[in-house]
Amino acid sequence: MRVLVIGTGGREHALVTALSLDPAVSHVLAAPGNPGMAAVAELRAVDPMDPAAVAALAVETAADLVIVGPEAPLVAGVADAVRAAGIATFGPSFEAARLEGSKDFSKAVMAAAGIPTARSYTCDTPEQAAAALDEFGAPYVVKDDALAAGKGVAVTDDRDTALAHAAACGRVVIEEYLDGPEVSLFVVCEGLTGVPLLPAQDFKRIGDGDTGLNTGGMGAYAPLSWAPADLVPVVMSEVVAPLLAEMDSRGTPFGGLLFVGLALTAKGPKVIEFNVRFGDPETQVVLPLLRSGLGELLHAAATGKLAGHPPLEWHDGAAVAVVMASAGYPVTSRSGDVITGADDPGVLHAGTARDGAGELVTAGGRVLCCTAVADSVPEARAAAYRLVEKVRFDGAQHRTDIAAER
Ligand code: AMP
Ligand code: GLY
């Protein structure tokens, strides 16, 4: 099977790495990809936001399966265009991708399906926003209705900051604050069938001890020894099954990767958000633990065969990923800093590029992610930080407390 992965990030680097280890996959392509992926995949140029161009590339490369990594192309209908060209595609339709593309839509679906989540109001004016903030009280949670590349959510104790974020966004969802540890659960879906992967935890804020600004994610680990033993079955029955049924009944069945972002509150797991693609950097720790073939699993989901797929097998042990970001992140990012020491296969690239002289340089906020697998979380953590110590670039930032003892 020939598999084409669309995207450029650490998540896509983890996807091509896992695909390259699947005996059912004969050839891996990535478009546009990044320099790190060149070791395991054939790189092709494409504008990932152009549905017709991605479909044409899939045909030209004789792909048997296309995996669309990031949310923006999915919301733009890229998966629909590739499917229309007759190629098996892992990724939701643009209609189903609204679960991530509009927070208001996502909340409406959750309400209709009776899924546990924060109470919320959708607000279009400053007056509505003020009333909603005052009803829920601090800490305030204000979410841009539309996709905002990880910058759409403000969680703050300051009412003026919350109001300013609402004014800057236009339409927002304002909701009650959910207290409790966060868990990311990925579910491979097709119609009414969902196959859960291992729960993982992401570290959202830039600073140690969860301080500072929100980021796309500064590190992750799995498995979560502290999570309740029944977490996955509870989320599958209370969240995933009703969601898939609701989407199906609307005539827009969900196929692809459902990312359930949860808070484990005193009243049980509640949904913080749905995303319609693999998370970054959680993917970098979940996929190295998957023993079953990734290509076969996602091909089954893309071709109506997920319900008959054998149960997934997992490696024992644990995985830890530590993100290294460029100077200025998450407010700005710096390009062109030379990177050395990033040759280990556990170093998954994201914002990297080759300069005119062929040197590896920074090219974005989250530059790369040092990932290690070992028998236990502490051992994987130590190995991941050994990789971090080897990687050098000016202005590099990373957290020192990823997967530390809780
Ligand atoms: P998102 O960009 O939607 O992933 O949200 C970013 C982060 O904001 C989440 O990972 C949470 O840490 C936080 N967040 C979002 N909604 C809530 C909520 N209702 N209560 C508490 N924290 C939240
Ligand atoms: N790690 C969170 C996300 O991918 O949105």
Side-chain angles (χ1 to χ4, degrees):
M1 163 166 53
R2 294 168 61 83
V3 185
L4 169 62
V5 176
I6 303 300
T8 60
R11 158 187 54 212
E12 286 79 26
H13 195 168
L15 283 163
V16 298
T17 302
L19 290 164
S20 72
L21 298 172
D22 181 348
V25 175
S26 54
H27 193 69
V28 186
L29 301 108
N34 66 43
M37 296 184 204
V40 279
E42 176 187 340
L43 301 189
R44 300 295 295 255
V46 80
D47 174 359
M49 291 300 290
D50 181 341
V54 175
L57 179 66
V59 172
E60 182 197 326
T61 56
D64 300 299
L65 172 67
V66 174
I67 301 168
V68 182
E71 61 275 19
L74 291 164
V75 171
V78 165
D80 307 78
V82 182
R83 260 192 294 274
I87 296 171
T89 308
F90 186 74
S93 67
F94 81 94
E95 286 165 313
R98 288 179 71 208
L99 279 175
E100 178 165 0
S102 165
K103 301 272 188 203
D104 174 57
F105 175 78
S106 177
K107 281 291 186 183
V109 171
M110 281 190 261
I115 292 169
T117 186
R119 287 186 302 126
S120 71
Y121 293 104
T122 299
C123 305
D124 290 299
T125 66
E127 294 73 29
Q128 290 171 345
L133 293 174
D134 292 339
E135 175 169 337
F136 295 130
Y140 302 108
V141 181
V142 182
K143 302 185 170 185
D144 197 335
D145 175 53
L147 278 191
K151 298 204 161 59
V153 178
V155 180
T156 173
D157 284 326
D158 183 52
R159 189 171 177 276
D160 289 338
T161 305
L163 278 173
H165 186 67
C169 294
R171 167 172 274 207
V172 291
V173 168
I174 291 180
E175 63 181 29
E176 66 181 328
Y177 180 80
L178 296 177
D179 200 11
E182 288 181 39
V183 171
S184 302
L185 181 67
F186 299 163
V187 187
V188 175
C189 297
E190 193 249 312
L192 297 176
T193 306
V195 174
L197 306 186
L198 286 184
Q201 191 171 46
D202 177 16
F203 292 73
K204 292 268 186 197
R205 297 201 181 238
I206 187 76
D208 284 356
D210 288 328
T211 54
L213 293 174
N214 249 325
T215 71
M218 292 301 292
Y221 73 106
L224 307 177
S225 60
W226 49 267
D230 63 353
L231 177 66
V232 173
V234 166
V235 173
M236 291 305 290
S237 67
E238 291 187 4
V239 176
V240 177
L243 178 78
L244 295 180
E246 177 66 24
M247 294 301 286
D248 189 68
S249 76
R250 291 174 180 233
T252 55
F254 187 87
L257 199 287
L258 179 71
F259 168 146
V260 188
L262 297 154
L264 306 190
T265 74
K267 293 184 184 157
K270 293 195 181 187
V271 175
I272 289 183
E273 61 167 346
F274 289 127
N275 295 320
V276 299
R277 38 77 193 175
F278 285 95
D280 191 332
E282 296 95 318
T283 304
Q284 289 89 313
V285 294
V286 172
L287 293 186
L289 296 173
L290 180 66
R291 201 200 315 228
S292 306
L294 180 69
E296 218 166 11
L297 173 66
L298 303 188
H299 188 263
T303 55
K305 300 192 188 96
L306 186 61
H309 193 274
L312 297 184
E313 292 179 31
W314 296 93
H315 294 291
D316 293 332
V320 172
V322 180
V323 169
M324 298 182 74
S326 70
Y329 184 75
V331 178
T332 59
S333 66
R334 201 163 79 195
S335 296
D337 291 310
V338 173
I339 306 168
T340 59
D343 308 320
D344 189 279
V347 178
L348 300 175
H349 292 218
T352 68
R354 296 268 174 212
D355 68 7
E359 264 191 300
L360 190 67
V361 295
T362 63
R366 290 189 295 169
V367 174
L368 50 80
C369 174
C370 295
T371 307
V373 179
D375 288 344
S376 67
V377 171
E379 287 164 283
R381 168 180 154 74
Y385 276 106
R386 281 197 293 276
L387 292 179
V388 170
E389 292 310 315
K390 285 193 211 156
V391 176
R392 290 286 144 91
F393 57 91
D394 278 352
Q397 315 181 59
H398 66 84
R399 279 180 64 160
T400 66
D401 63 346
I402 304 302
E405 288 301 335
R406 327 168 11 106

